[in-house]
């Protein structure tokens, strides 16, 4: 069997989210950090997901990196390309979702693609082109206060229309309810009218199943990871996916347990409070970090004390704070410097703590996850069992280490309130 799916994800947690749902559908999946330098990752893989850091980079850089990833996947025979972005569709006013999608379409010489951000099991649904988070419109869900990519409009046709030069249309829920044939007819009608980008309603798993059947033959699909949970069955129906053993099998885990969080989402803040009710935690102060290394060293000393007291008990270090506190820091330091200080500190802590015996690590936040993965020189992640929808355990081999590192990269809004404690309990 050749490579069935090639994924291009615009951040690290998004790549893991996509890979998680493919694995749950029975696809052996590998996540790589950036474009690989060789073909070793293809061994026993049905899907390869290339994680980029292109969600909030300049448009030109995001397009360049995405096209490089596409070229690598095309050269390895991927049957379908999946451009993965967040289920909250968050991006800058110029993109990068629209410009990257158009560049991929041009390279693949395809006149149309679908946009399927919905992930109903995680509370992300699209109805009449409007994105909901739970029972709230996107612009009233907390995402309107995101420090990097605030989303103030739930109308995805309008949001995407501002990012693209080509027409945007809608595949509505009423059409999907009529089954695959009606959906195929609607896509064909939109294509004949010159509509290049089609926002797809999705309110439940049945909608995703119909969309998977309708879109499995397209050269390019785009969206959140919800669609990925339905695609493997469509691939099997086409004879592309061979049966095999447990796609989520990982090696036994070992080493100390730690949580590092840079996410400021509402859910992560709730998860931190729940964790600190049971385990030790330390909050980082970006203003103190800006004054020198003393605060960073205090955090390391805190971690060492936790490890000495109980080598197997988890502890937490976080820079997560509510939106008002984040704005106050950004006003003092500037948005870019404040973010960089947090990322650099958490990445340094991750590298140091892994060197000192941490073998099981949770990282919360897309930007933080990217910084930690880079600091640890991780190039490949094997995807394991799901902790919560969209978040699996993964494992990576590190230079100079005989044992693997077990790593969970959590998107800020994902997971239940008890995620940070329960995750260690479900790790093999």
């Amino acid at each position: 069997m050749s490579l069935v799916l090639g994924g291009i994800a615009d951040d690290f947690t998004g790549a893991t989210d996509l890979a998680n749902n493919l694995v749950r559908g029975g696809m052996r999946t590998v996540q790589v950090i950036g474009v690989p330098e060789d073909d070793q990752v293809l061994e026993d893989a049905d899907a390869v997901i290339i994680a980029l850091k292109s969600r909030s980079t300049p448009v030109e850089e995001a397009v360049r990196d995405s096209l490089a990833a596409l070229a690598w996947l095309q050269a390895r025979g991927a049957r379908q390309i999946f451009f993965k972005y967040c289920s909250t569709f968050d991006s800058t006013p110029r993109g990068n979702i629209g410009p990257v999608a158009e560049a991929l379409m041009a390279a693949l010489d395809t006149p149309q693609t679908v946009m399927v951000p919905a992930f109903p099991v995680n509370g992300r649904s699209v109805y009449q082109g409007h994105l909901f988070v739970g029972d709230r419109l996107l612009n009233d869900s907390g995402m309107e206060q995101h420090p990097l990519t605030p989303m103030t409009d739930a109308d995805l046709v309008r949001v995407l229309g501002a990012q693209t030069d080509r027409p945007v249309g809608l595949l509505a829920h009423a059409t999907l309810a009529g089954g695959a044939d009606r959906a195929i007819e609607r896509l064909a009608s939109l294509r004949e009218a010159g509509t290049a980008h089609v926002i797809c309603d999705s309110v439940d798993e049945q909608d995703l199943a119909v969309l998977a059947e309708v879109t499995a033959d397209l050269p390019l699909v785009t969206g959140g990871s919800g669609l990925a949970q339905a695609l493997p069955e469509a691939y099997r129906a086409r004879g592309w996916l061979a049966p095999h053993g447990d796609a989520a099998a990982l090696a036994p885990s070992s080493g100390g347990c730690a949580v590092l969080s840079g996410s400021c989402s509402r859910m992560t803040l709730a998860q931190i409070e729940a964790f600190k009710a049971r385990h030790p935690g330390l909050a980082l102060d970006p203003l103190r970090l800006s004054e020198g290394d003393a605060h960073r060293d205090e955090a390391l000393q805190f971690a060492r004390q936790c490890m000495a007291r109980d080598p197997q008990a988890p502890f937490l270090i976080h820079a997560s704070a509510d939106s008002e506190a984040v704005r106050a820091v950004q006003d003092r330091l500037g948005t870019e410097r404040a973010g960089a200080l947090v990322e650099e500190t958490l990445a340094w802590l991750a590298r140091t703590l892994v060197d000192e015996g941490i073998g099981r690590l949770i990282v919360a936040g897309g930007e933080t996850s990217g910084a930690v993965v880079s600091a640890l020189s991780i190039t490949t992640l094997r995807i394991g069992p799901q902790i919560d929808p969209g978040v699996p355990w993964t494992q990576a081999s590190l230079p100079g280490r005989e044992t693997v590192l077990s790593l969970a990269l959590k998107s800020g809004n994902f997971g239940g309130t008890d995620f940070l404690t329960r995750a260690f309990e479900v790790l093999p």
Side-chain angles (χ1 to χ4, degrees):
M1 292 286 177
S2 61
L3 188 63
V4 179
L5 183 141
I8 302 170
D10 68 359
D11 79 348
F12 291 76
T13 56
T16 308
D17 175 19
L18 173 60
N20 172 66
N21 274 349
L22 294 172
V23 166
R24 292 182 68 238
M27 295 184 74
R28 298 165 299 179
T29 304
V30 174
Q31 176 180 338
V32 295
I33 312 305
V35 179
E37 296 182 357
D38 56 47
D39 289 355
Q40 186 175 355
V41 298
L42 295 174
E43 185 177 352
D44 296 327
D46 302 309
V48 172
I49 312 303
I50 297 178
L52 304 176
K53 197 173 181 181
S54 58
R55 178 168 301 172
S56 55
T57 59
V59 169
E60 296 76 14
E61 183 179 331
V63 168
R64 180 200 67 205
D65 292 348
S66 300
L67 289 176
L70 173 64
W72 191 91
L73 293 166
Q74 283 182 298
R76 275 75 189 173
R79 288 179 178 267
Q80 186 171 55
I81 301 298
F82 195 127
F83 170 37
K84 165 67 172 67
Y85 41 81
C86 187
S87 58
T88 49
F89 213 74
D90 53 305
S91 55
T92 65
R94 289 189 60 204
N96 294 334
I97 294 174
V100 169
E102 291 202 334
L104 295 175
M105 290 172 66
L108 289 164
D109 193 25
T110 183
Q112 186 182 74
T113 191
V114 292
M115 305 280 177
V116 191
F119 194 0
V121 72
N122 250 1
R124 277 54 163 186
S125 58
V126 179
Y127 182 71
Q128 291 299 101
H130 288 69
L131 179 55
F132 289 79
V133 178
D135 61 355
R136 312 297 293 182
L137 283 166
L138 176 65
N139 55 290
D140 193 28
S141 68
M143 281 302 299
E144 72 276 14
Q145 298 174 344
H146 193 286
L148 293 178
T149 51
M151 297 300 294
T152 58
D153 190 353
D155 186 336
L156 300 190
V157 174
R158 187 162 55 214
V159 170
L160 187 62
Q163 299 180 13
T164 63
D165 296 325
R166 303 173 69 182
V168 180
L170 175 67
L171 178 58
H173 175 67
T175 302
L176 290 173
D181 289 342
R182 283 192 62 190
I184 290 171
E185 291 174 2
R186 173 60 175 166
L187 287 176
S189 175
L190 289 169
R191 187 167 57 250
E192 290 170 4
T195 302
H197 308 280
V198 183
I199 300 292
C200 298
D201 278 359
S202 310
V203 300
D204 54 28
E205 308 305 309
Q206 180 58 34
D207 286 346
L208 293 175
V210 172
L211 284 169
E213 175 59 29
V214 168
T215 63
D217 296 302
L218 296 180
L220 173 69
V221 294
T222 87
S225 69
L227 180 62
Q229 68 188 16
L231 281 172
E233 185 60 35
Y235 295 153
R236 274 188 287 272
R238 288 158 172 76
W240 298 350
L241 194 59
H244 47 71
D246 185 4
L250 294 179
S253 60
S254 62
C257 304
V259 181
L260 300 175
S261 175
S263 169
C264 296
S265 73
R266 290 179 180 177
M267 179 52 72
T268 297
L269 294 177
Q271 291 164 346
I272 287 171
E273 289 305 308
F275 181 93
K276 291 169 78 170
R278 296 179 56 185
H279 302 288
L282 175 72
L284 293 172
D285 181 349
L287 295 178
R288 291 188 62 197
L289 290 175
S290 70
E291 296 171 355
D293 294 340
H295 188 40
R296 183 194 72 174
D297 294 340
E298 287 175 8
L300 178 59
Q301 184 61 27
F302 165 82
R304 285 171 171 166
Q305 290 171 352
C306 292
M307 295 166 69
R309 187 164 49 246
D310 186 344
Q312 300 302 310
F315 60 89
L316 162 72
I317 298 175
H318 68 92
S320 306
D322 61 34
S323 57
E324 184 176 341
V326 170
R327 280 195 297 270
V329 170
Q330 291 174 337
D331 288 343
R332 290 277 301 276
L333 301 178
T335 301
E336 290 187 10
R337 187 177 180 220
L341 278 170
V342 168
E343 289 179 26
E344 290 166 6
T345 300
L346 292 175
W348 177 83
L349 285 168
R351 185 173 60 246
T352 305
L353 293 175
V354 167
D355 286 343
E356 297 186 7
I358 291 298
R360 292 167 283 186
L361 178 63
I362 298 173
V363 184
E367 299 297 321
T368 306
S369 294
V372 166
V373 165
S374 297
L376 293 172
S377 300
I378 293 172
T379 59
T380 305
L381 293 170
R382 175 64 66 176
I383 308 300
Q386 175 175 278
I387 305 166
D388 268 344
V391 194
W393 277 108
T394 74
Q395 285 186 339
S397 298
L398 301 182
R401 283 174 59 103
E402 294 183 1
T403 58
V404 295
L405 172 67
S406 296
L407 183 66
L409 304 175
K410 189 192 84 70
S411 177
N413 284 301
F414 279 13
T417 304
D418 64 345
F419 176 91
L420 297 178
T421 51
R422 186 167 42 80
F424 294 111
E425 298 168 1
V426 305
L427 181 62

